[in-house]
Amino acid sequence: MTAAAFPQAIRRVRALGHEGLADFLIDDGRIAAVLPAGGAPADLPTLADGEGRLMLQPALVEAHIHFDKTLWGAPWRPNSSGPTRNHRIANEQAVLKDFDMPLAERAAPLIEHCVARGSLYFRSHVDVQPAFGIARIEEMLALRERYAHLVDMQLVAFPQAGLLTAPGTAELMEHALALGLEGGGGIDPAGIDRDPVRHLEAVFELAARFGRGVDIHLHDGGELGRFEVERIADMTEAHGLAGQVVISHAYALGAFAPADLHPLADRLARLGISVMSCAPSHFMAPPLAMLRSRGVNVCSGSDNVRDTWSPHGNGDMLDRARLIAMRFGWSQDEQLADAFDIVSHGGAKALGLGGRYGLQAGCEANLLLLPAQNIAEAVVACPQDRTVIRRGRVVARGGVLVTR
């Protein structure tokens, strides 16, 4: 799907930063102008009549998901994972090794579902480990190409079974990055690879060599995890990767009094290191309000969606904003707006979308309309009646995909 190449109008919408109702002029897949309601020429084709509905800050951003793991398109499978992370890794390898449904047939329905819920920007981590070779990378690259008309998708090479302890993984990571993946990943430098400094050095050296960013899964807790966050900051600065690094999960930051973390938070903000949190209910979570107050960019994602790790997850980032608010007891309108900012502008900044993302003239016309008076009501109610616009074309109505 190419961008709509002729001028159109979205009429009578309620949009943040604009008084009263507004009309949006769309041209060549981008916002051309924002006018008071009624300001768009009457003879201009109407892309959508908002009828007073809320236009959210552009389409939602799914900043952390694992499309290659999902069982979404498969029949229900009872969860068989064990209690530890290593148990879950081994269980996933056993289940998916001879699974009778190809990755594309499982992941494609989930991608379409996410689009219908309003997400059009994604970062998907893709396993790189000897048990799978480079197959998942190649399949996800093909799937990304298949859905390029619907979504913008970044892929991160993810050495889930260990970068140092699984022989051959480093070479596979090099191969994956050479194929054009946008990021190099890592996981639990101590908990999985048992050598925090060597693991992080390997991750950052690979990223720097290929000119990529870093997005590292960090579940290691307590003082150990805090030490690793500090080393990530050191290496971000040493390799000149400011603004290109994300720490995903960062459970360790939830183990300390927020005030004790102010100097570290200030350093993360100065280096443009983002923190991704799914706001888990069963683990410690980093203090998102404090991090944001110190200038740290915070984003979020669905993480696992109905896979061998967990049967939970629904791929709805508006619902994720609701879960973030519930996890931290955010109930004031401005707090609910903060939760929404995490799944929109926070994700856009982490993914480096820059001036492409916004409601200003020149930004991409990737938009989401739904019935709500304001952001707070949208987060709490999570209405399913959503109109999703991609590059000036309606791709979903009523929460249902209308184009593939």
Side-chain angles (χ1 to χ4, degrees):
M1 176 194 300
T2 57
F6 48 88
Q8 305 168 88
I10 300 174
R11 305 180 191 273
R12 299 188 299 160
V13 296
R14 187 180 292 109
L16 289 184
H18 300 278
E19 294 294 330
L21 300 182
D23 290 352
F24 280 70
L25 302 187
I26 309 298
D27 192 9
D28 197 24
R30 293 184 176 271
I31 298 171
V34 185
L35 305 169
D43 60 350
L44 205 62
T46 298
L47 174 61
D49 188 338
E51 300 179 319
R53 286 183 295 170
L54 181 67
M55 179 184 286
L56 294 180
Q57 317 228 20
L60 302 169
V61 180
E62 170 65 83
H64 187 108
I65 195 167
H66 294 266
F67 283 127
D68 65 319
K69 298 179 182 296
T70 191
L71 304 178
W72 187 271
W76 180 264
R77 185 184 186 282
N79 185 268
S80 57
S81 64
T84 70
R85 190 157 290 106
N86 284 325
H87 283 129
R88 292 170 188 147
I89 291 172
N91 179 65
E92 179 189 351
Q93 291 175 346
V95 171
L96 293 185
K97 183 176 182 296
D98 298 311
F99 204 73
D100 60 2
M101 182 177 286
L103 184 157
E105 293 181 22
R106 294 180 279 112
L110 178 56
I111 293 171
E112 295 180 6
H113 171 83
C114 291
V115 170
R117 294 297 180 271
S119 291
L120 294 178
Y121 302 93
F122 298 88
R123 173 171 286 181
S124 180
H125 296 258
V126 190
D127 278 18
V128 176
Q129 53 177 294
F132 304 122
I134 210 71
R136 288 196 186 186
I137 297 292
E138 293 172 335
E139 290 175 287
M140 280 304 305
L141 284 168
L143 202 58
R144 177 169 71 177
E145 179 65 23
R146 172 179 164 186
Y147 284 103
H149 64 293
L150 279 181
V151 305
D152 288 282
M153 187 184 301
Q154 297 180 7
L155 301 177
V156 175
F158 176 43
Q160 179 176 260
L163 181 56
L164 306 178
T165 55
T169 301
E171 291 76 14
L172 289 173
M173 288 285 289
E174 291 184 17
H175 189 174
L177 292 176
L179 288 174
L181 271 66
E182 286 77 9
I187 182 171
D188 296 348
I192 297 293
D193 260 351
R194 307 190 200 97
D195 193 331
V197 175
R198 277 188 60 217
H199 175 96
L200 292 174
E201 285 176 346
V203 169
F204 276 86
E205 286 169 4
L206 268 173
R209 180 156 32 112
F210 283 91
R212 305 289 193 270
V214 169
D215 194 328
I216 183 165
H217 285 60
L218 189 61
H219 312 96
D220 289 338
E223 290 288 355
L224 174 60
R226 180 173 179 169
F227 168 83
E228 292 168 343
V229 171
E230 292 167 346
R231 299 294 75 74
I232 289 171
D234 290 343
M235 294 184 194
T236 298
E237 193 163 15
H239 288 280
L241 290 176
Q244 301 178 66
V245 175
V246 178
I247 304 174
S248 289
H249 305 304
Y251 294 154
L253 298 183
F256 303 91
D260 291 343
L261 296 172
H262 285 177
L264 179 55
D266 292 345
R267 191 174 184 213
L268 296 179
R270 188 169 62 253
L271 290 169
I273 296 174
S274 296
V275 172
M276 192 296 303
S277 177
C278 303
S281 60
H282 56 306
F283 292 117
M284 286 184 176
L288 302 190
M290 182 280 289
L291 292 172
R292 284 170 54 87
S293 76
R294 308 298 291 194
V296 179
N297 184 59
V298 176
C299 59
S300 189
S302 297
D303 198 13
N304 300 91
V305 179
R306 200 177 299 174
D307 59 18
T308 66
W309 286 60
S310 170
H312 299 293
N314 61 11
D316 185 342
M317 288 306 293
L318 186 57
D319 189 52
R320 182 62 52 178
R322 182 184 67 84
L323 293 174
I324 291 169
M326 291 183 67
R327 171 65 174 79
F328 292 101
W330 296 353
S331 58
Q332 302 301 311
D333 278 17
E334 58 271 21
Q335 293 174 314
L336 294 167
D338 285 345
F340 182 78
D341 190 66
I342 288 170
V343 305
S344 54
H345 282 282
K349 186 172 182 180
L351 270 58
L353 299 181
R356 300 168 52 197
Y357 191 89
L359 291 182
Q360 297 78 38
C363 293
E364 295 175 339
N366 292 344
L367 307 166
L368 175 60
L369 288 169
L370 49 72
Q373 297 179 60
N374 50 44
I375 291 293
E377 183 184 8
V379 170
V380 170
C382 284
Q384 296 303 300
D385 181 10
R386 306 178 192 183
T387 298
V388 184
I389 296 170
R390 164 75 168 174
R391 295 179 181 169
R393 297 182 186 274
V394 174
V395 297
R397 287 192 184 91
V400 178
L401 203 67
V402 296
T403 185
R404 284 180 168 78

